[in-house]
Amino acid sequence: MKTLFKFILFIFLTVSTQIGGLVYLISLFISKKWTRNFKFKTLILFTGLYLSSTLLIVPLIAPLFGREKVQHSDIIKPTNYVTVLMNRNYVRPKLNELLNETEQELIGTGIEIHYLDANFPFINKFPLLPHLSHNDGKKIDLSLIYETENGQISKKQKSRSGYGYFEHPKPSEFDQINKCLTHGYFQYDYPKYLTFGTVNSDLVFSITGTKLLINTILKSSKLGKLFIEPHLKSRMSLKDSRIRYHGCRAVRHDDHIHIQLK
Ligand SMILES: [Zn+2]
């Protein structure tokens, strides 16, 4: 029973943080060899090893695998710092260049780039669940832009995790979500379980802010594709052949934007 629990924990830590499972095994090993006994020995060892690996060691090794951390600045930040603590913030250097180019263009607009899941630091094809494609360092999700009811651009989000707060289609708009759900793609709106709570109920979706962010990203020749739900694409009157529909097998994209390199 205890072995089964350890096995499940190992799998969970590996799937959610990539290095967590390995760090857990090392913690178990050290805990066994270390004769001194104290309460929560393995947990304390794991926490210390995990944090030092995540914050100090992994950033040094990742470039050997062609990836680096998303570079933070006054304008580029994670929506939730847990993304960084879970090693879900690694990209190819070219994607950092794309973000930096976008940042330069956004100076003075009041718009910030808040990023969500990117990729793990190591190994191509190692999936970053629940995303289907974030496995090669070329992908990153970005938060939508919100504004106050007076139209003042805000830097805040409506979901704690950054996922799962949907900007639903209006009655007059094409409803791709309903189409996917009625065709049996029941996973399509699963991100609704991932909000970890909604906040800032006074804010509303900013058409101008989000449109400016997307149009600025589209200026980069490094961009391959951008995914957003069709009703938001038409609400913002966006026209660019790189804005694609991701398909019903993915999840709905009216809570975030997905971008990827060529
Ligand atoms: Zn994505």
Side-chain angles (χ1 to χ4, degrees), residues 3-261:
T3 314
L4 181 67
F5 173 74
K6 283 178 183 168
F7 179 71
I8 292 169
L9 191 56
F10 168 79
I11 297 290
F12 171 76
L13 288 167
T14 304
V15 166
S16 57
T17 70
Q18 193 173 50
I19 66 159
L22 180 65
V23 172
Y24 176 56
L25 290 184
I26 296 169
S27 312
L28 283 175
F29 179 76
I30 297 175
S31 183
K32 211 172 171 185
K33 293 277 168 197
W34 194 6
T35 45
R36 221 186 117 190
N37 270 321
F38 50 91
K39 226 178 168 186
F40 304 121
K41 188 163 88 169
T42 310
L43 179 66
I44 292 167
L45 273 168
F46 172 79
T47 309
L49 281 174
Y50 180 81
L51 287 178
S52 49
S53 307
T54 297
L55 300 174
L56 305 168
I57 302 167
V58 173
L60 294 176
I61 308 173
L64 303 175
F65 291 78
R67 300 193 194 168
E68 58 188 26
K69 288 196 290 182
V70 175
Q71 288 160 9
H72 294 175
S73 69
D74 287 344
I75 289 181
I76 304 171
K77 296 164 186 170
T79 298
N80 192 319
Y81 196 72
V82 172
T83 307
V84 175
L85 291 179
M86 294 177 80
N87 299 294
R88 299 166 82 94
N89 60 323
Y90 284 81
V91 292
R92 294 193 187 190
K94 221 175 198 169
L95 192 44
N96 260 329
E97 288 169 23
L98 184 156
L99 293 173
N100 292 340
E101 286 168 17
T102 309
E103 176 195 19
Q104 292 306 314
E105 298 268 342
L106 286 173
I107 291 173
T109 61
I111 290 172
E112 294 187 349
I113 301 171
H114 293 261
Y115 72 87
L116 305 164
D117 280 339
N119 312 265
F120 281 134
F122 310 121
I123 313 169
N124 279 340
K125 301 222 161 72
F126 190 106
L128 182 130
L129 295 177
H131 309 274
L132 300 178
S133 70
H134 290 225
N135 60 7
D136 56 3
K138 292 169 140 190
K139 325 277 164 57
I140 193 166
D141 289 343
L142 305 175
S143 286
L144 303 175
I145 308 292
Y146 296 93
E147 60 185 29
T148 64
E149 277 171 24
N150 306 325
Q152 189 82 33
I153 297 283
S154 169
K155 297 175 167 68
K156 293 178 183 161
Q157 296 299 314
K158 293 183 71 76
S159 140
R160 281 217 174 86
S161 68
Y163 288 103
Y165 185 89
F166 305 126
E167 188 54 35
H168 296 277
K170 293 182 175 161
S172 60
E173 290 175 330
F174 172 62
D175 192 342
Q176 178 67 54
I177 294 114
N178 194 32
K179 200 176 164 190
C180 288
L181 291 174
T182 51
H183 279 79
Y185 295 98
F186 50 86
Q187 92 298 336
Y188 200 64
D189 70 348
Y190 268 12
K192 66 186 173 195
Y193 300 117
L194 298 176
T195 60
F196 295 107
T198 54
V199 284
N200 303 315
S201 57
D202 52 322
L203 297 178
V204 294
F205 174 66
S206 172
I207 295 179
T208 38
T210 310
K211 186 175 178 177
L212 180 58
L213 173 65
I214 292 177
N215 276 332
T216 312
I217 293 168
L218 288 167
K219 284 186 186 175
S220 175
S221 58
K222 297 181 178 75
L223 182 80
K225 290 178 200 166
L226 184 151
F227 295 151
I228 191 155
E229 211 58 38
H231 67 275
L232 292 184
K233 182 185 170 189
S234 59
R235 197 185 298 175
M236 292 184 279
S237 333
L238 290 165
K239 285 177 192 74
D240 189 294
S241 59
R242 290 168 295 170
I243 304 176
R244 305 276 177 83
Y245 177 56
H246 42 275
C248 286
R249 286 176 201 281
V251 290
R252 59 193 287 182
H253 281 63
D254 54 354
D255 57 342
H256 72 280
I257 305 161
H258 166 107
I259 63 169
Q260 61 187 67
L261 290 173

